[in-house]
Amino acid sequence: MTHTLIDPFQRAITYLRVSVTDRCDFRCVYCMSENMTFLPKKDLLTLEELDRLCSSFIRLGVEKLRITGGEPLVRKGIMTFFDAMSAHLAKGTLKELTLTTNGSQLDRFAADLANCGVRRINVSLDTLDDKKFADITRWGRLPQVIKGIDAAQKAGLRVKINAVALKGFNEDELFTLQEWCASRDMDLTWIEVMPMGDIGNEDRLDQFWSLKDLRSRLANQFTVTDLAERSGGPARYVRIEETGQKIGFITPLSHNFCESCNRVRITCTGEIYTCLGQEGHSDLRAPLRTSDDDAVLETAIRAAIGLKPKGHDFDYSRQDVSGRVSRHMSHTGG
Ligand code: SAM
Ligand code: SF4
């Protein structure tokens, strides 16, 4: 048995993103409806199951693990899981352990995360205006998140800010967010809003602000150089020559990165999605729960990787006509 996961298009799968909960203490308008129905607890993988599953992926060659959600830091006991993963870091079998968070719980957990070997984190933050922040997250409070970012930096974590580009909402903060990130030595990445899940009354088309437009606004003001750097995912980077700052752009629905895609995603219920933009998935919870034998689980993982599609514009796409994906981002993890 080889210890590398290779998909049918000869891509080695080395990056796993795991959603550890569908719950969240915010209700961002582009992500959730105000009255979300969450999954019954019994459907979620337990922390032990998450450990067993991730450890199997690491044995099979996954080197980078990103923990996401929902809000990963609201999962009760989550530090036990980080602790378990840090053992793989210590052995050198796992190269990077990281997370994507809304920052609300960082004040509490930043030091523990750093102790578990986490070095870099992504914090999602779309605005620096208190009122706008409360509006976009519905339940969030900006000062709490800033306090969390302070704690993360104090603990030595490198912070990258992810901002969803929203028309008429944070267009006017393009430069203020950039300057704020530069002043705190944080990278900034803009994410194009994706049509995922039912989010209530919000109209997606109203929210859409193309990153092409965002980039050209930057280029009107600064000298913007494209960087060759790629992460195997949908992010592209530019450098602002005047400040040396690196800015990322994530256009999840562009498909020009699929050839180098090295990642798969696991939901909090143990479904594996081998492509963010496709509905196709396999169940890993059943093999986890029906057998204690890791060989059974590894066979199921390999079978799922064997179904990874070429890309999300694949001819046999199972998306509906508008290209909309029915699940929420909080289900698969962003
Ligand atoms: N709660 C954590 C957070 O907000 O960072 C982790 C999970 S969240 C689903 C991960 C990322 O997905 C966040 O950066 C969020 O802004 C982004 N996201 C959520 N819904 C999105 C959508 N419809 N389009 C684009 N990005 C979205
Ligand atoms: Fe929660 Fe993150 Fe979704 Fe906002 S984007 S509702 S913080 S899971």
Side-chain angles (χ1 to χ4, degrees):
M1 203 184 238
T2 66
H3 289 274
T4 319
L5 291 170
I6 305 285
D7 81 356
F9 303 93
Q10 300 309 310
R11 296 169 296 194
I13 306 306
T14 54
Y15 181 11
L16 177 65
R17 299 169 73 107
V18 184
S19 172
V20 295
T21 178
D22 61 337
R23 278 127 174 111
C24 188
D25 51 348
F26 292 1
R27 291 288 181 280
C28 301
V29 299
Y30 45 75
C31 179
M32 293 191 182
S33 64
E34 181 137 33
N35 305 306
M36 285 290 285
T37 312
F38 293 111
L39 295 161
K41 287 244 166 65
K42 66 169 177 37
D43 288 356
L44 303 191
L45 296 187
T46 63
L47 293 172
E48 294 73 24
E49 286 169 339
L50 281 166
D51 176 2
R52 211 182 132 208
L53 186 55
C54 293
S55 298
S56 294
F57 271 96
I58 293 165
R59 266 198 309 280
L60 293 172
V62 159
E63 296 180 334
K64 178 172 172 179
L65 189 59
R66 177 174 294 279
I67 311 306
T68 178
E71 174 46 42
L73 297 181
V74 302
R75 172 90 196 237
K76 209 166 154 221
I78 192 64
M79 279 306 141
T80 334
F81 171 71
F82 273 97
D83 226 18
M85 293 304 104
S86 77
H88 296 294
L89 280 177
K91 275 190 274 173
T93 42
L94 181 64
K95 303 263 185 314
E96 186 173 16
L97 174 62
T98 183
L99 91 152
T100 300
T101 173
N102 65 22
S104 69
Q105 308 301 315
L106 276 176
D107 188 38
R108 244 167 88 204
F109 291 121
D112 292 344
L113 289 167
N115 286 336
C116 287
V118 174
R119 296 289 167 255
R120 302 189 301 157
I121 59 171
N122 290 353
V123 179
S124 306
L125 176 68
D126 307 325
T127 173
L128 290 172
D129 179 285
D130 284 340
K131 163 85 175 62
K132 280 162 75 180
F133 188 87
D135 286 348
I136 201 80
T137 61
R138 292 199 189 99
W139 294 6
R141 296 291 166 263
L142 181 61
Q144 187 185 348
V145 171
I146 303 290
K147 204 169 157 200
I149 294 172
D150 291 341
Q153 291 194 305
K154 194 163 161 238
L157 300 177
R158 179 124 193 104
V159 177
K160 177 163 80 74
I161 299 295
N162 280 345
V164 176
L166 297 161
K167 193 159 115 190
F169 177 78
N170 54 12
E171 281 174 280
D172 57 341
E173 292 188 73
L174 174 58
F175 298 112
T176 32
L177 263 168
Q178 182 178 322
E179 277 160 26
W180 180 72
C181 287
S183 73
R184 301 190 57 136
D185 190 26
M186 302 185 297
D187 289 325
L188 171 63
T189 291
W190 289 96
I191 308 176
E192 209 159 65
V193 74
M194 282 181 70
M196 293 187 84
D198 173 15
I199 48 161
N201 298 328
E202 306 295 327
D203 184 339
R204 301 272 183 204
L205 282 177
D206 279 356
Q207 296 176 337
F208 185 77
W209 174 21
S210 120
L211 295 191
K212 229 186 211 158
D213 177 57
L214 192 154
R215 190 193 186 286
S216 62
R217 288 199 213 179
L218 279 182
N220 283 339
Q221 202 86 5
F222 296 101
T223 316
V224 173
T225 308
D226 288 310
L227 300 177
E229 181 181 330
R230 299 308 307 271
S231 57
R236 296 208 176 260
Y237 300 94
V238 299
R239 189 173 50 238
I240 306 290
E241 296 299 345
E242 286 79 356
T243 63
Q245 195 177 7
K246 196 171 83 173
I247 308 276
F249 299 100
I250 301 185
T251 43
L253 291 185
S254 67
H255 54 264
N256 45 13
F257 58 89
C258 294
E259 316 72 60
S260 60
C261 183
N262 60 356
R263 60 198 57 196
V264 294
R265 293 174 164 79
I266 294 198
T267 68
C268 53
T269 56
E271 290 164 329
I272 174 170
Y273 281 84
T274 51
C275 177
L276 180 62
Q278 297 267 11
E279 299 280 12
H281 60 274
S282 315
D283 174 34
L284 296 178
R285 188 179 60 191
L288 256 174
R289 291 193 174 168
T290 49
S291 168
D292 286 338
D293 183 357
D294 285 342
V296 172
L297 182 57
E298 289 181 12
T299 302
I301 292 173
R302 285 182 191 282
I305 300 296
L307 297 173
K308 183 168 164 69
K310 191 172 181 188
H312 56 69
D313 58 344
F314 200 44
D315 290 348
Y316 306 114
S317 166
R318 274 168 278 168
Q319 289 166 220
D320 70 25
V321 276
S322 59
R324 193 172 179 283
V325 178
S326 63
R327 65 191 186 273
H328 284 96
M329 192 73 118
S330 54
H331 184 64
T332 337

